[in-house]
Amino acid sequence: MSQTLEIKKKIVEEITDKLQKSTSAIIVDYRGLRVDEVTELRRKFREAGVDYKVYKNTLARRAAENAGMQELVEELIGPNALAFSYDDPVAPAKIASDFAKSHKKLELKVGFVEGSFYDEEKLKEIANIPSREELLAKLLGSLQAPISNFAYLVQAMIDKEEKEE
């Protein structure tokens, strides 16, 4: 077997593994972005813990078939990049969607989020969902509010009693 065929097989295995292990994976078309813009996008993905990489379409198609994600195969045409998230399923769509607002050449194509296939419109809807951390912070705030109010009430009663004495 030739060395290049071995390399290609390893890349297909790598992509298949990423697709299977990730909580979400999206495909974006980066055609028309300048090098500095792509670098900025990569940095944003990296800061969020999202794995962003450009693969050859034929290798990515084979990996999508191996991972049972047939819907991705049809979309792997033209210059594409894949973004994989292993923690926050919303992060890739949110970052790409926000970036596309100021860089019109970036196009969200399709993706998988927690096992479900989504087109561009649905990915944009998902991008508007608050992150896990934001939701947890809101929940914690909601849980703390009654306790805080009770503490203020008790303190007010103590202060009132002290004034009356």
Side-chain angles (χ1 to χ4, degrees), residues 6-103:
E6 280 298 317
I7 292 169
K8 288 179 181 180
K9 282 185 175 185
K10 286 182 181 177
I11 293 171
V12 169
E13 287 175 21
E14 173 189 323
I15 302 167
T16 303
D17 188 51
K18 287 181 178 185
L19 285 169
Q20 291 173 335
K21 289 182 177 178
S22 62
T23 57
S24 65
I26 65 165
I27 299 174
V28 295
D29 183 342
Y30 61 90
R31 186 183 355 221
L33 290 178
R34 298 185 321 264
V35 173
D36 62 317
E37 294 171 328
V38 172
T39 302
E40 179 186 350
L41 179 61
R42 284 181 189 276
R43 181 183 51 76
K44 289 179 186 246
F45 278 130
R46 188 173 42 253
E47 287 172 356
V50 175
D51 188 5
Y52 174 83
K53 194 163 181 182
V54 176
Y55 292 103
K56 288 190 173 227
N57 286 336
T58 53
L59 302 179
R61 277 189 211 108
R62 190 155 293 162
E65 288 171 352
N66 291 348
M69 298 178 172
Q70 191 63 37
E71 296 92 340
L72 294 181
V73 174
E74 299 153 15
E75 298 297 330
L76 289 163
I77 300 167
N80 296 301
L82 286 99
F84 306 93
S85 178
Y86 306 100
D87 298 320
D88 185 358
V90 177
K94 183 180 283 297
I95 292 167
S97 179
D98 289 347
F99 193 83
K101 289 176 186 171
S102 58
H103 301 83

Side-chain angles (χ1 to χ4, degrees), residues 99-165:
F99 193 83
K101 289 176 186 171
S102 58
H103 301 83
K104 300 294 182 204
K105 303 222 181 205
L106 182 72
E107 176 188 334
L108 274 79
K109 292 178 90 174
V110 295
F112 271 89
V113 179
E114 295 185 332
S116 298
F117 177 76
Y118 294 98
D119 63 7
E120 178 186 4
E121 290 304 313
K122 291 290 183 186
L123 284 176
K124 287 180 179 176
E125 287 177 24
I126 289 170
N128 292 326
I129 296 172
S131 70
R132 184 174 189 271
E133 289 76 23
E134 290 175 66
L135 291 173
L136 288 174
K138 287 180 182 181
L139 176 64
L140 186 59
S142 297
L143 293 174
Q144 283 181 328
I147 296 168
S148 297
N149 290 341
F150 180 71
Y152 290 131
L153 177 65
V154 170
Q155 187 62 47
M157 291 171 56
I158 292 170
D159 292 343
K160 182 179 179 185
E161 280 186 27
E162 288 176 356
K163 284 183 183 177
E164 289 177 357
E165 290 176 4

